[in-house]
Amino acid sequence: MAGSRVLGIESTAHTASVGIVSPGRDGRPRVLSNRSAVWRPPEGGIHPREAANAHAEALPGLIREALREAKVAAGDLSAVAFAQGPGLGPCLRTGASAARALALTAGVPLVGVNHCVAHLEVGRALLGCEDPVLLYASGGNTQVIAFAGGRYRVFGETLDIGVGNMLDKFGREAGLPFPAGPAIEGLASRGSKLLPLPYSVKGMDVAYSGMLTAALQMRRDGERMEDIAFSIQEVAFAMLVEVAERAMAHVGRDELLLGGGVAANARLVEMAGTMTRERGAESFVPERRFCVDNGAMIAVLGAMMLGAGVTTPVGESAVRQRFRTDEVEVSWR
Ligand code: AMP
Ligand code: MG
């Protein structure tokens, strides 16, 4: 859609973010702006209400900054997209309210998008992979997703906590800063001893709470933090790469796309690269700012849906905390 400008609002968990995209000349979207504010819990895990309050304060400024940076007036937008789910209720509702208000003021349609599908579509749109298996590894979510039979389907997922959540919970108990992923990566680079953490793949699904308990016990037993961090990464990521590889074999794909904050980890990227190379396949890793939760990916998927004529009437714009990847009707590809 020539001249189209779609603004996307992300607020499923700890990140409030606003992105604006327009179609580029090569058919790939151009990201005109992408502004984020990450809420960090003073202690403990995410408190949904407190995170939502922080988002409510941050979003008006983020919207203004994103419009200014993109040099777009609200009235020139073609649509306002927002992450309709899955996520934390209060956080989702805050983003949805901001989106409704902006869309009504600007007199443009709303587009409610699925957050997990947006992680996949932003990679397809920006990196040019065509039909990848997505390994989506973030704080709250851990899923292996591919397009099959007209829908995005979840081929494997965590049965308990997300892989990033496991890292963060371990880090909290061990006194590491939040989020713990980067600190664990730093420690792991100085570790070398592979400790026997539980490798928990059940069918195509993974589980991480047993690993968390075992890693914390190893710490009490006096193992070096460097070795525990090293072992967590080796075992946790091997589980993910195994399931991703089996999904690729099952659906016959030769592209692997990484997404989610954990995809910032160089060891995970390396293991994914080794697996795909050995299969004669290719792996794609978006820039970090498009791997973590971000408004641009919501705008990218919103623009695709808008292009296919999909919009969300205000009366159907209630948030969906448990919005499943395979509930999305895919009409844009
Ligand atoms: P997201 O939920 O997608 O916003 O991503 C946040 C999650 O990514 C948190 O659980 C972080 O601990 C994790 N994370 C961020 N950077 C890294 C890293 N370098 N290695 C592992 N995990 C990371
Ligand atoms: Mg995410």
Side-chain angles (χ1 to χ4, degrees):
M1 206 182 291
S4 128
R5 303 269 184 276
V6 175
L7 181 145
I9 298 180
E10 158 63 32
S11 73
T12 56
H14 44 58
T15 301
S17 180
V18 179
I20 300 178
V21 303
S22 73
R25 267 184 233 102
D26 55 1
R28 291 192 190 173
R30 276 200 315 138
V31 177
L32 304 180
S33 57
N34 190 38
R35 296 291 185 124
S36 304
V38 181
W39 180 78
R40 292 181 196 288
E43 55 178 355
I46 295 191
H47 188 296
R49 192 66 261 157
E50 284 173 22
N53 288 343
H55 296 343
E57 277 186 29
L59 278 169
L62 292 172
I63 291 170
R64 262 195 310 276
E65 286 170 23
L67 287 167
R68 192 180 316 131
E69 186 186 347
K71 300 192 174 61
V72 175
D76 295 335
L77 293 171
S78 319
V80 175
F82 69 104
Q84 197 165 6
L88 304 170
C91 298
L92 289 168
R93 283 192 286 276
T94 302
S97 298
R100 283 183 210 109
L102 181 60
L104 287 172
T105 313
V108 299
L110 269 178
V111 186
V113 316
N114 179 288
H115 173 94
C116 304
V117 173
H119 273 292
L120 192 147
E121 291 296 5
V122 74
R124 258 192 355 120
L126 297 181
L127 303 184
C129 46
E130 279 171 20
D131 197 4
V133 167
L134 171 71
L135 172 54
Y136 172 31
S138 75
N141 295 296
T142 298
Q143 295 188 331
V144 173
I145 301 170
F147 189 67
R151 288 197 179 226
Y152 283 106
R153 308 207 183 255
V154 177
F155 284 86
E157 65 188 318
T158 182
L159 297 171
D160 45 32
I161 53 177
V163 61
N165 221 305
M166 181 270 293
L167 298 173
D168 295 337
K169 284 187 168 164
F170 175 77
R172 192 185 318 141
E173 296 289 320
L176 301 175
F178 179 89
I184 289 173
E185 180 168 20
L187 286 165
S189 68
R190 300 190 300 279
S192 55
K193 181 170 148 197
L194 187 60
L195 301 164
L197 289 168
Y199 185 100
S200 189
V201 174
K202 301 171 189 180
M204 291 290 280
D205 297 325
V206 294
Y208 285 112
S209 54
M211 177 179 301
L212 173 63
T213 308
L216 289 171
Q217 185 58 46
M218 285 171 177
R219 181 164 172 269
R220 285 191 290 273
D221 292 344
E223 294 289 353
R224 292 171 62 227
M225 277 291 278
E226 289 83 350
D227 292 330
I228 302 174
F230 171 78
S231 306
I232 288 176
Q233 287 200 168
E234 293 306 301
V235 179
F237 298 164
M239 288 161 53
L240 294 178
V241 172
E242 179 193 331
V243 173
E245 176 166 28
R246 289 189 8 237
M248 290 174 77
H250 180 72
V251 291
R253 298 290 151 72
D254 57 8
E255 295 171 328
L256 176 69
L257 173 66
L258 299 191
V262 183
N265 187 288
R267 180 60 181 141
L268 176 59
V269 170
E270 184 186 11
M271 287 167 80
T274 305
M275 179 272 278
T276 47
R277 228 173 5 263
E278 285 174 359
R279 298 182 56 78
E282 204 178 343
S283 66
F284 295 82
V285 188
E287 280 175 54
R288 187 185 150 73
R289 62 194 176 115
F290 300 125
C291 273
V292 298
D293 291 348
N294 66 92
M297 72 179 188
I298 304 300
V300 163
L301 176 50
M304 289 177 177
M305 293 170 70
L306 184 71
V310 182
T311 60
T312 306
V314 173
E316 291 168 24
S317 66
V319 304
R320 303 171 64 177
Q321 288 184 62
R322 302 191 186 281
F323 195 177
R324 301 251 342 150
T325 299
D326 49 18
E327 287 177 81
V328 179
E329 282 179 41
V330 182
S331 53
W332 61 89
R333 61 174 283 183

